[in-house]
Amino acid sequence: MQITNKFMDEFTARIREGGANARLNAKTMPWQTESSLRPLYNLLADSLDRGSDSKWSEVQAVLDKIPADKKIKYKRAMDFLLAKKGSWDLFHDRVSGWGKFGAADFEEHVTVPGRGATLLIRGEGMTPGDMREIIGNLQVQLPLIHQLASNPKLGPRRDWFAASSLGEVQTALENLDKYLNQRCTRITFKRLHVGMRCDSDVTDPSDVVTRSLAGQVVPTVMLAGEDRPDFRKKDGYLKVPSGIKVFLGPLYWSVRKNYDAILKTPAIYRWMTLAHELTHKIIKTTDKCYELSNCKTIKDSPDAVMCADSWAYFLTEYWKTPDFTLRDAAARRRAAMGYDE
């Protein structure tokens, strides 16, 4: 459950109804005289401070340690918590994929311009509005990638990649195109909250979601003898499963306006985040660096073709150029998202 200020205010009011001795410190708000209640309050307050979900099992473990006489004295506060027990883990389980609610909230077969078959799009912990925006972005990105893959002369390639890497860039574009417009059958988008982790990402137990995470994917598995450039060779896309999942973190929804000269609106930032994560999964890019200035610094280096942000900026910038005339609808969407300002 996501603890809110309103929740803490209501809980605190019920604690105070149990006795005047339950005084609160203005800064950290632990009880100064009721030491038996301190762990419970601190657990909830810490969840509020971190902006993360707490699980009922954690609450129950602390409740079990409160003496019976204190539970009676502060019965209204205990009843306030217990009334929420049945639904406490509902949202947490639904968005994180744990428990019986780890299922898609949204599912739709989407028509993409230029793609023969529909693409199944799923959402977990996502609102219908979130998914409508993502679908609109994919309906631009997939034709855009196809157009770039079809003509090696299109796009601001030398603005983002070394001249010696342009052959590799073209092959990588062809892999992106063939995967997204032919091989891929479904893409699932899943919302992550602070403290959660990607599905099956057990390689680093300390790798948990923070407020600064925009997106993440579970890496495509490489076989013995393979390396990352193998995924950018001809037909490397065949190594990627036909269904993929993209995780979207807190920064995806909370990024500021005018992030940089290209990412002028939150909507454009979200568009670019999708492109960034898709390159991670399909052509095995890495996070060599982040942000516009750093990507410009490495543009003449072999590192650029390995960098997910370099790819994402390249695709985002091409979207604005007059060369991308594949769909009039793309231009209208771009203008509506503030990219032409």
Side-chain angles (χ1 to χ4, degrees):
M1 178 171 178
Q2 188 82 30
I3 305 300
T4 64
N5 285 312
K6 181 181 178 181
F7 176 95
M8 292 302 295
D9 289 342
E10 292 179 3
F11 183 58
T12 300
R14 286 163 175 77
I15 287 289
R16 285 183 168 134
E17 291 172 3
N21 290 333
R23 292 177 288 129
L24 299 176
N25 176 282
K27 183 178 180 181
T28 60
M29 297 197 295
W31 283 271
Q32 297 174 331
T33 56
E34 295 289 358
S35 59
S36 59
L37 296 180
R38 228 172 269 154
L40 174 60
Y41 195 91
N42 287 345
L43 172 69
L44 300 175
D46 181 61
S47 180
L48 174 64
D49 290 341
R50 290 185 291 110
S52 63
D53 295 313
S54 65
K55 299 188 73 175
W56 179 260
S57 60
E58 298 171 338
V59 176
Q60 188 65 60
V62 178
L63 285 173
D64 290 342
K65 296 179 181 179
I66 297 176
D69 62 322
K70 299 300 182 183
K71 290 181 179 178
I72 293 173
K73 182 177 181 179
Y74 297 102
K75 185 176 184 301
R76 281 183 58 83
M78 299 299 105
D79 289 345
F80 174 76
L81 284 179
L82 292 171
K84 301 180 182 299
K85 178 179 178 179
S87 60
W88 190 278
D89 288 333
L90 175 64
F91 186 67
H92 187 279
D93 287 346
R94 193 172 186 81
V95 299
S96 68
W98 301 327
K100 63 182 180 180
F101 293 105
D105 305 294
F106 179 97
E107 185 171 294
E108 184 174 311
H109 288 272
V110 174
T111 299
V112 177
R115 189 186 146 96
T118 59
L119 181 62
L120 178 59
I121 302 295
R122 291 174 174 163
E124 296 179 15
M126 306 283 288
T127 69
D130 294 334
M131 295 307 301
R132 292 263 73 85
E133 180 183 82
I134 287 172
I135 288 171
N137 288 341
L138 292 175
Q139 287 174 326
V140 172
Q141 287 185 12
L142 271 58
L144 181 149
I145 288 170
H146 175 73
Q147 185 172 350
L148 285 167
S150 300
N151 187 342
K153 296 182 180 180
L154 284 179
R157 303 180 189 218
R158 283 295 289 114
D159 291 344
W160 300 101
F161 305 109
S164 59
S165 300
L166 293 184
E168 190 175 357
V169 168
Q170 178 60 27
T171 305
L173 281 167
E174 292 170 4
N175 279 320
L176 284 167
D177 175 33
K178 289 178 180 177
Y179 179 81
L180 291 169
N181 288 302
Q182 297 178 27
R183 177 169 172 77
C184 185
T185 59
R186 67 188 182 280
I187 306 178
T188 301
F189 295 90
K190 182 172 180 177
R191 184 165 187 167
L192 295 180
H193 294 264
V194 173
M196 291 166 54
R197 298 169 62 219
C198 282
D199 290 353
S200 306
D201 185 10
V202 297
T203 56
D204 183 1
S206 66
D207 183 17
V208 297
V209 174
T210 65
R211 291 183 185 277
S212 62
L213 179 74
Q216 198 168 354
V217 293
V218 176
T220 299
V221 175
M222 290 190 293
L223 302 178
E226 289 181 340
D227 58 14
R228 291 182 182 275
D230 286 331
F231 283 76
R232 288 187 297 282
K233 293 178 180 176
K234 182 177 174 59
D235 296 332
Y237 74 98
L238 295 172
K239 304 174 188 290
V240 186
S242 61
I244 61 176
K245 181 177 282 189
V246 176
F247 300 84
L248 300 172
L251 186 61
Y252 179 85
W253 283 274
S254 63
V255 68
R256 66 182 186 274
K257 291 180 64 176
N258 295 317
Y259 189 84
D260 60 36
I262 291 179
L263 306 179
K264 295 180 179 180
T265 70
I268 300 302
Y269 184 94
R270 292 192 293 270
W271 194 96
M272 178 174 154
T273 298
L274 299 186
H276 177 114
E277 298 305 327
L278 289 173
T279 69
H280 272 324
K281 189 70 177 180
I282 302 165
I283 56 174
K284 295 291 286 185
T285 56
T286 62
D287 292 318
K288 288 285 184 181
C289 66
Y290 294 103
E291 301 188 351
L292 180 60
S293 60
N294 294 324
C295 290
K296 286 294 188 181
T297 298
I298 68 167
K299 73 182 184 69
D300 292 320
S301 162
D303 287 342
V305 77
M306 292 287 292
C307 182
D309 248 18
S310 295
W311 275 95
Y313 277 114
F314 163 60
L315 295 174
T316 305
E317 188 175 25
Y318 179 60
W319 182 25
K320 192 175 183 179
T321 65
D323 290 335
F324 183 47
T325 55
L326 202 62
R327 300 287 183 276
D328 289 340
R332 292 195 299 271
R333 180 170 181 76
R334 191 180 68 219
M337 293 169 73
Y339 196 10
D340 290 332
E341 294 176 0

